mmCIF file of all heavy atoms in Angstrom:
data_model
loop_
_atom_site.group_PDB
_atom_site.id
_atom_site.type_symbol
_atom_site.label_atom_id
_atom_site.label_comp_id
_atom_site.label_asym_id
_atom_site.label_seq_id
_atom_site.Cartn_x
_atom_site.Cartn_y
_atom_site.Cartn_z
ATOM 1 N N ASP A 302 234.334 37.855 -53.063
ATOM 2 C CA ASP A 302 235.743 37.835 -52.660
ATOM 3 C C ASP A 302 236.530 36.742 -53.347
ATOM 4 O O ASP A 302 237.751 36.667 -53.218
ATOM 5 C CB ASP A 302 235.866 37.654 -51.145
ATOM 6 C CG ASP A 302 235.394 38.889 -50.390
ATOM 7 O OD1 ASP A 302 235.371 39.971 -51.019
ATOM 8 O OD2 ASP A 302 235.052 38.771 -49.209
ATOM 9 N N ALA A 303 235.828 35.848 -54.088
ATOM 10 C CA ALA A 303 236.505 34.751 -54.777
ATOM 11 C C ALA A 303 237.330 35.289 -55.927
ATOM 12 O O ALA A 303 237.181 36.435 -56.339
ATOM 13 C CB ALA A 303 235.465 33.736 -55.296
ATOM 14 N N PRO A 304 238.227 34.453 -56.501
ATOM 15 C CA PRO A 304 239.042 34.933 -57.622
ATOM 16 C C PRO A 304 238.238 35.452 -58.794
ATOM 17 O O PRO A 304 238.699 36.286 -59.539
ATOM 18 C CB PRO A 304 239.845 33.690 -58.025
ATOM 19 C CG PRO A 304 239.925 32.885 -56.767
ATOM 20 C CD PRO A 304 238.630 33.130 -56.059
ATOM 21 N N ALA A 305 237.035 34.919 -58.982
ATOM 22 C CA ALA A 305 236.187 35.464 -60.046
ATOM 23 C C ALA A 305 235.904 36.918 -59.760
ATOM 24 O O ALA A 305 235.655 37.324 -58.642
ATOM 25 C CB ALA A 305 234.883 34.673 -60.117
ATOM 26 N N ALA A 306 235.941 37.745 -60.775
ATOM 27 C CA ALA A 306 235.823 39.182 -60.572
ATOM 28 C C ALA A 306 234.375 39.597 -60.467
ATOM 29 O O ALA A 306 233.463 38.815 -60.651
ATOM 30 C CB ALA A 306 236.494 39.924 -61.719
ATOM 31 N N ALA A 307 234.182 40.889 -60.159
ATOM 32 C CA ALA A 307 232.839 41.391 -59.941
ATOM 33 C C ALA A 307 232.121 41.728 -61.216
ATOM 34 O O ALA A 307 230.986 42.141 -61.186
ATOM 35 C CB ALA A 307 232.908 42.634 -59.050
ATOM 36 N N SER A 308 232.758 41.579 -62.327
ATOM 37 C CA SER A 308 232.088 41.857 -63.587
ATOM 38 C C SER A 308 232.669 40.961 -64.659
ATOM 39 O O SER A 308 233.777 40.457 -64.548
ATOM 40 C CB SER A 308 232.257 43.327 -63.978
ATOM 41 O OG SER A 308 233.603 43.592 -64.310
ATOM 42 N N ASP A 309 231.930 40.757 -65.724
ATOM 43 C CA ASP A 309 232.396 39.919 -66.817
ATOM 44 C C ASP A 309 233.694 40.451 -67.413
ATOM 45 O O ASP A 309 234.598 39.701 -67.740
ATOM 46 C CB ASP A 309 231.321 39.834 -67.900
ATOM 47 C CG ASP A 309 230.133 39.025 -67.440
ATOM 48 O OD1 ASP A 309 230.223 38.350 -66.405
ATOM 49 O OD2 ASP A 309 229.115 39.076 -68.141
ATOM 50 N N GLU A 310 233.791 41.768 -67.568
ATOM 51 C CA GLU A 310 234.958 42.363 -68.211
ATOM 52 C C GLU A 310 236.221 42.064 -67.428
ATOM 53 O O GLU A 310 237.265 41.738 -67.996
ATOM 54 C CB GLU A 310 234.757 43.868 -68.349
ATOM 55 C CG GLU A 310 235.931 44.569 -69.034
ATOM 56 C CD GLU A 310 235.714 46.060 -69.159
ATOM 57 O OE1 GLU A 310 234.622 46.527 -68.763
ATOM 58 O OE2 GLU A 310 236.632 46.741 -69.633
ATOM 59 N N VAL A 311 236.140 42.184 -66.102
ATOM 60 C CA VAL A 311 237.317 41.923 -65.270
ATOM 61 C C VAL A 311 237.608 40.424 -65.225
ATOM 62 O O VAL A 311 238.763 39.993 -65.292
ATOM 63 C CB VAL A 311 237.106 42.488 -63.853
ATOM 64 C CG1 VAL A 311 238.291 42.145 -62.966
ATOM 65 C CG2 VAL A 311 236.885 43.990 -63.918
ATOM 66 N N HIS A 312 236.563 39.619 -65.123
ATOM 67 C CA HIS A 312 236.760 38.178 -65.023
ATOM 68 C C HIS A 312 237.384 37.603 -66.288
ATOM 69 O O HIS A 312 238.135 36.627 -66.227
ATOM 70 C CB HIS A 312 235.416 37.501 -64.749
ATOM 71 C CG HIS A 312 235.497 36.007 -64.733
ATOM 72 N ND1 HIS A 312 236.129 35.310 -63.733
ATOM 73 C CD2 HIS A 312 235.041 35.080 -65.622
ATOM 74 C CE1 HIS A 312 236.049 34.009 -63.983
ATOM 75 N NE2 HIS A 312 235.395 33.846 -65.123
ATOM 76 N N GLU A 313 237.106 38.185 -67.417
ATOM 77 C CA GLU A 313 237.566 37.628 -68.677
ATOM 78 C C GLU A 313 239.033 37.916 -68.958
ATOM 79 O O GLU A 313 239.568 37.433 -69.952
ATOM 80 C CB GLU A 313 236.715 38.184 -69.836
ATOM 81 C CG GLU A 313 235.304 37.624 -69.882
ATOM 82 C CD GLU A 313 235.296 36.107 -70.033
ATOM 83 O OE1 GLU A 313 236.106 35.586 -70.818
ATOM 84 O OE2 GLU A 313 234.501 35.465 -69.346
ATOM 85 N N ARG A 314 239.704 38.686 -68.110
ATOM 86 C CA ARG A 314 241.117 38.974 -68.315
ATOM 87 C C ARG A 314 241.893 38.571 -67.077
ATOM 88 O O ARG A 314 241.361 38.523 -65.968
ATOM 89 C CB ARG A 314 241.335 40.450 -68.627
ATOM 90 C CG ARG A 314 240.871 41.393 -67.543
ATOM 91 C CD ARG A 314 240.883 42.827 -68.011
ATOM 92 N NE ARG A 314 242.220 43.282 -68.339
ATOM 93 C CZ ARG A 314 242.461 44.417 -68.997
ATOM 94 N NH1 ARG A 314 241.452 45.175 -69.392
ATOM 95 N NH2 ARG A 314 243.698 44.789 -69.261
ATOM 96 N N MET A 315 243.159 38.254 -67.264
ATOM 97 C CA MET A 315 243.990 37.830 -66.145
ATOM 98 C C MET A 315 245.446 38.183 -66.460
ATOM 99 O O MET A 315 245.855 38.273 -67.626
ATOM 100 C CB MET A 315 243.847 36.328 -65.894
ATOM 101 C CG MET A 315 244.297 35.459 -67.053
ATOM 102 S SD MET A 315 243.814 33.707 -66.929
ATOM 103 C CE MET A 315 244.278 33.313 -65.276
ATOM 104 N N SER A 316 246.224 38.385 -65.401
ATOM 105 C CA SER A 316 247.648 38.633 -65.574
ATOM 106 C C SER A 316 248.377 37.300 -65.725
ATOM 107 O O SER A 316 247.820 36.226 -65.458
ATOM 108 C CB SER A 316 248.202 39.402 -64.375
ATOM 109 O OG SER A 316 248.155 38.571 -63.216
ATOM 110 N N LEU A 317 249.626 37.365 -66.151
ATOM 111 C CA LEU A 317 250.422 36.154 -66.261
ATOM 112 C C LEU A 317 250.656 35.512 -64.898
ATOM 113 O O LEU A 317 250.727 34.290 -64.771
ATOM 114 C CB LEU A 317 251.753 36.458 -66.953
ATOM 115 C CG LEU A 317 251.655 36.928 -68.411
ATOM 116 C CD1 LEU A 317 253.038 37.200 -68.976
ATOM 117 C CD2 LEU A 317 250.930 35.892 -69.258
ATOM 118 N N LEU A 318 250.758 36.348 -63.846
ATOM 119 C CA LEU A 318 250.891 35.804 -62.494
ATOM 120 C C LEU A 318 249.633 35.032 -62.095
ATOM 121 O O LEU A 318 249.715 33.969 -61.469
ATOM 122 C CB LEU A 318 251.156 36.931 -61.493
ATOM 123 C CG LEU A 318 252.585 37.485 -61.458
ATOM 124 C CD1 LEU A 318 252.645 38.697 -60.536
ATOM 125 C CD2 LEU A 318 253.560 36.422 -61.000
ATOM 126 N N GLN A 319 248.467 35.572 -62.432
ATOM 127 C CA GLN A 319 247.225 34.841 -62.151
ATOM 128 C C GLN A 319 247.172 33.534 -62.931
ATOM 129 O O GLN A 319 246.712 32.516 -62.407
ATOM 130 C CB GLN A 319 246.025 35.716 -62.518
ATOM 131 C CG GLN A 319 245.764 36.863 -61.562
ATOM 132 C CD GLN A 319 244.616 37.730 -62.040
ATOM 133 O OE1 GLN A 319 244.601 38.188 -63.182
ATOM 134 N NE2 GLN A 319 243.668 37.968 -61.163
ATOM 135 N N LEU A 320 247.646 33.558 -64.169
ATOM 136 C CA LEU A 320 247.648 32.337 -64.972
ATOM 137 C C LEU A 320 248.457 31.237 -64.301
ATOM 138 O O LEU A 320 247.962 30.123 -64.102
ATOM 139 C CB LEU A 320 248.214 32.642 -66.363
ATOM 140 C CG LEU A 320 248.499 31.414 -67.242
ATOM 141 C CD1 LEU A 320 247.207 30.693 -67.599
ATOM 142 C CD2 LEU A 320 249.252 31.813 -68.503
ATOM 143 N N VAL A 321 249.705 31.528 -63.937
ATOM 144 C CA VAL A 321 250.536 30.484 -63.342
ATOM 145 C C VAL A 321 250.010 30.079 -61.965
ATOM 146 O O VAL A 321 250.111 28.914 -61.572
ATOM 147 C CB VAL A 321 252.008 30.924 -63.262
ATOM 148 C CG1 VAL A 321 252.586 31.084 -64.649
ATOM 149 C CG2 VAL A 321 252.163 32.203 -62.476
#
Side-chain angles (χ1 to χ4, degrees):
D302 290 339
S308 68
D309 290 348
E310 181 180 357
V311 177
H312 176 70
E313 288 301 318
R314 60 190 297 168
M315 62 192 312
S316 67
L317 296 180
L318 282 174
Q319 287 176 308
L320 170 66
V321 294

